Each structure stands twice: as C-alpha cells, then as structure tokens.
Amino acid sequence: MNEFKLPDVGEGLTEAEIVSWKVKAGDVVKVNDVIVEIETAKSLVELPSPFAGTIQELLVPEGETVAVGTPIIRIGDGAPAADSAPAAPAGDSAEPATEIDLSNPAATGGGENQTLVGYGPREGAGKRRARKSSGVPAPAASRATRDEVQGAFAPGGARPVDVPEPDEPAVPASSPASTAGQQAPVTVLAKPPVRKLAKDLGIDLREVTATGPHGTITRADVEAHGTGGAAASGAAEGSAGPAMPGQYADLGRTGVAPMGGARESREPIKGVRKMMAQAMVDSAFSAPHVTEWVTVDVTKTMKYVDKLKSERAFADVKVSPLLVVAKAVCLAMRRTPELNATWDEAAQEVVYKGYVNLGIAAATPRGLVVPNVKDADAMALPELGAAINDLTRTARDGKTQPAEMSGGTFTITNVGVFGVDAGTPIINPGESAILCFGAVRKQPWVRTKNGRDKVSIRSVTTLALSFDHRLIDGEKGSRFLADVARILEDPASALMF
C-alpha cells in the first residue's frame, strides 16, 4: 500500500485545492498517469501518479484545500480482486507498485521519458491515455453531507458525470458493498455557489434537472426547480445575468450571475485569486509607485497591424496592436535598462537583467495571472506573436504552469479589451514597472503639417506607465514611455532603436 502526499509543485507553495479527480477507487494506474488536478496559489496543475497499482481510496474530496505533505490518495499493489473491485478496462494491465527514484528516474523503468511527480509529462512525450470517469467516491458520511462540501468544477466546464454500469455498481470507498441489483446514485455536478443556493432554498440537488454543460446543475436550474418550472434548455450558469459586451467575449466568460434573490453572498478567497491579492498588497506597500500617462496617435500602427495579417509569416498568428506594443517595449528598454531591473532590498543593490521576460496580464475565471514570454527581446515579430498567443490561450484554459509565471521582468496589462481607456496599474512583484495599454478609439486629432494645424479623425490610445521610484526616476520613466509612444506613432521609427 502506497500513500501519495501532496507535493510542492511550485516555489515554496504551502497548500493546494483538489479541483477534480481523474481516477476512482478500483482504477488501475501506471507511473505518470494523471490522477488529479489541483489549484495552487499560482495555477492549475495536473499531478501524475508516482506509483503503479490499483487505486484503493481517495483521501481528500474535491473542493477541499489541504497542506503540502498531506496524503491525498492510497494506491495498492497490483490489480484489484475480481470479487472486490471493478475490472480494469481493456488494454490496462496491473503493474507492481513502483516508486520513482527522483535521483535516478531511469532506474525505475522510466527511461528518457520518465518525469518527476507533480510536474507532468515532458514536452514532446507520448500522448497521455484517455481519462477515466472522475466521480469521487463518497466518504463514510451521508450523501447529503458530501454534496454540501464537495465542489465539482474545472476550467472551461464541469467534470464528466460518473454513471456506473449496471453490472458494476459504484461503491463508496469507505462503505460496504451494495446489495445485489442496487445501483449507486449518479454524482451530482454543481459548483459551490449553486450548492449553497440549493441548501439555502432547501432543495435536494438530486431532484433538479441539469441543463448545464456535461450535466452540470446551474443556478438557473435550481431557481427554476424552486419555482416549480423547468430551466430553459441549454442555459449556462450565469446566463440569466446581463450579457457581457462584445469586447469582453475574448475572455470566454459569461457575465455576472444573479444571487438568486439573496441580499448577500460569500465566496472563499483561495488559489490564484488569494495569491494575486496578497501579491498586489505586498507590491503596493513596498514599492513607491509613480504613474505617467501619454495619449498617442496609433493610426499608422493600426494600418501596420492590418498589413501584418496578410503576411505569410503571420498566417498562424493572431495579430493585434498588443503585439506591436510588446515589441516597442522590448526596443525601448535598450535605451532605459532601468525599466528591466529590480531592487534588491536585502543587498541594497539594483539588479540589471540582460534579458526581457515579458509578462502579459491575463484575466481568467479563476483570477488574474501573469505568464511571461521568456527572452522576448531576442524574438522576431512572428515568433513573439506566436508566443503571446500560446500564453493567453493557455491562461484562458486555466493551464498556466508556475514556471510560466516566474522570472518576469516587465509586464503589459491590456485593459483596452474591456473598452477602458487607461488606469494606474500596480507593479507585478519582483519587477520595477508595468505598462497599461488602453482602448484604441477613433477621435478628432490635431495634426500639424507644413506649419498648419489640421483636425482629422485618427486612431488614438492612452498608455499609462507605473514604475518603482526607488530605482527609476522621472527622467528615465518619461524617456521610456516617450520611446514606446514614438514607435506606436510610427512603427518605422523602430529601425532607429
């Protein structure tokens, strides 16, 4: 019998939330099969199994936050007995329990493709086997108790329903075997706020008709059941709330959900959102922030973006003004390297970086994350565009890994996607500056040509730069911001940097 303890998958993380189990009691797993998805203070992470054998018991329910080092699953040796557990699916064979020797992975049979527990398969490794149904066996407590405490959510939608086969009834891990012909109830899928609403209204979730994705019970389903009516077919959770404006569609969010008539509601602060909140407090009260603004005519940049979209090198790249801003930032740092430096309080030194790890702030359903493009300054424009696309896509899917969010040197936050003109951004911890890129709007603009002023309609945006005044004075911050603005006014001027 082997117990797998929750590992530290980041840099000194102390706890994580069990988001969804990918296995259930009786499943046979091999070393490095994904068994659980957790949310740390930085991201969602899939954990592979360090042992080969049969799942005996899931020790922590979904939705619960546990400390690093806590046992979360028991894995036995070999395949389950025919009379005590479901048979393994075809193609899966039981293997002796094997523990990875972290000092010599190859010695445990992993060879070149062996990876360390908690960090997933290496890039380019073989395809992961199909996930099994991920229903969580109920603890010894009652069904109702489990439904109150067990969350059922995952990035992009809910877990698949675990429907037991008629000849293989689902048996809770800590409960006696079911009687002949008796079938365990189907797992109820609903997010924690929906479960709380049902509890407050005295509604049994097992009696509610689910209309959400993958059989998820939504808030609208609970409200409709409480009023005696059926929820609208195919309604997604939060669909009863106001629709998000078109510019928000890029986030993949569904608007603001109503609270079901309640005057107040509460949501636990944990995971990515908890880390973000603490990081912003630490930054705001440790680094003296200064913010400068500049309004820029970006008409030529918008034309340049349209031209890039037709170039063969950008055929597979989503081109936007953010790409030009990112390149302008990398170029402007050549003249003011202080913007890419950090303040070492302990050593009382300024640390200058010879590389630019460019962070792109991304809003996700789980909170704000800031993955960064490593060595962005060394990339050609098509390569930089592809890297930004990959980062934002991964962030929206909730799959950003801790390594992708560490080591950043400068950040861009694009509030223009919300239709916002600008703001006063807070510096990302460990960095010295952050640039806020606002919405691009058509506005009347005064241009001087041949000594004469002329008013015309131009594409205009606002840039706001916040910087740490301990190492960046007004002159350096202003020069950097002016250089970025100059490139956006005329992309051809980038040849001079």
Side-chain angles (χ1 to χ4, degrees), residues 116-138:
L116 301 186
V117 175
Y119 292 87
R122 292 180 182 173
E123 183 177 357
K127 293 178 63 178
R128 187 172 69 233
R129 72 181 179 88
R131 294 177 178 173
K132 302 177 184 295
S133 59
S134 52
V136 177

Side-chain angles (χ1 to χ4, degrees), residues 153-171:
F153 54 90
R159 297 180 292 110
V161 181
D162 179 23
V163 182
E165 296 294 333
D167 59 340
E168 293 182 357
V171 181

Side-chain angles (χ1 to χ4, degrees), residues 210-236:
T211 63
H214 307 293
T216 307
I217 296 176
T218 70
R219 182 180 297 272
D221 295 336
V222 174
E223 292 170 346
H225 184 86
T227 57
S233 176

Side-chain angles (χ1 to χ4, degrees), residues 285-297:
F285 290 96
S286 62
H289 284 55
V290 173
T291 304
E292 293 186 345
W293 310 63
V294 63
T295 303
V296 189
D297 175 3

Side-chain angles (χ1 to χ4, degrees), residues 128-391:
R128 187 172 69 233
R129 72 181 179 88
R131 294 177 178 173
K132 302 177 184 295
S133 59
S134 52
V136 177
S142 67
R143 171 77 185 202
T145 302
R146 182 191 67 182
D147 285 343
E148 293 171 4
V149 301
Q150 179 183 347
F153 54 90
R159 297 180 292 110
V161 181
D162 179 23
V163 182
E165 296 294 333
D167 59 340
E168 293 182 357
V171 181
S174 57
S175 303
S178 60
T179 59
Q182 181 179 359
Q183 183 171 326
V186 175
T187 300
V188 177
L189 299 183
K191 295 184 180 181
V194 178
R195 293 178 182 273
K196 184 178 184 304
L197 174 61
K199 181 181 177 182
D200 292 342
L201 298 177
I203 295 175
D204 187 343
L205 285 175
R206 290 171 294 183
E207 300 176 356
V208 178
T209 301
T211 63
H214 307 293
T216 307
I217 296 176
T218 70
R219 182 180 297 272
D221 295 336
V222 174
E223 292 170 346
H225 184 86
T227 57
S233 176
E237 181 182 346
S239 62
M244 298 282 271
Q247 61 264 35
Y248 302 121
D250 202 30
L251 293 175
R253 303 175 71 176
T254 56
V256 181
M259 295 194 298
R263 292 175 64 84
E264 294 182 357
S265 66
R266 291 176 178 266
E267 179 185 358
I269 301 173
K270 55 187 177 181
V272 173
R273 186 171 283 108
K274 182 178 181 180
M275 184 277 292
M276 175 199 69
Q278 186 59 51
M280 292 299 97
V281 170
D282 292 343
S283 176
F285 290 96
S286 62
H289 284 55
V290 173
T291 304
E292 293 186 345
W293 310 63
V294 63
T295 303
V296 189
D297 175 3
V298 292
T299 304
K300 291 184 178 180
T301 286
M302 299 305 290
K303 293 179 179 179
Y304 182 55
V305 168
D306 289 339
K307 181 179 179 181
L308 291 179
K309 292 178 180 179
S310 62
E311 294 288 338
R312 181 181 303 176
F314 293 89
D316 299 322
V317 178
K318 180 181 178 181
V319 182
S320 71
L322 178 62
L323 173 58
V324 183
V325 174
K327 190 63 176 180
V329 164
C330 294
L331 294 173
M333 281 180 180
R334 297 177 181 177
R335 286 161 51 99
T336 48
E338 291 83 2
L339 273 292
N340 198 47
T342 57
W343 179 275
D344 189 334
E345 180 66 27
Q348 289 294 293
E349 296 175 341
V350 175
V351 182
Y352 292 89
K353 309 294 178 65
Y355 54 90
V356 179
N357 288 349
L358 186 62
I360 306 295
T364 74
R366 291 184 175 272
L368 181 70
V369 297
V370 188
N372 60 78
V373 178
K374 310 298 184 185
D375 297 310
D377 57 317
M379 293 182 176
L381 203 57
E383 185 182 4
L384 179 59
I388 293 175
N389 289 175
D390 290 342
L391 279 189

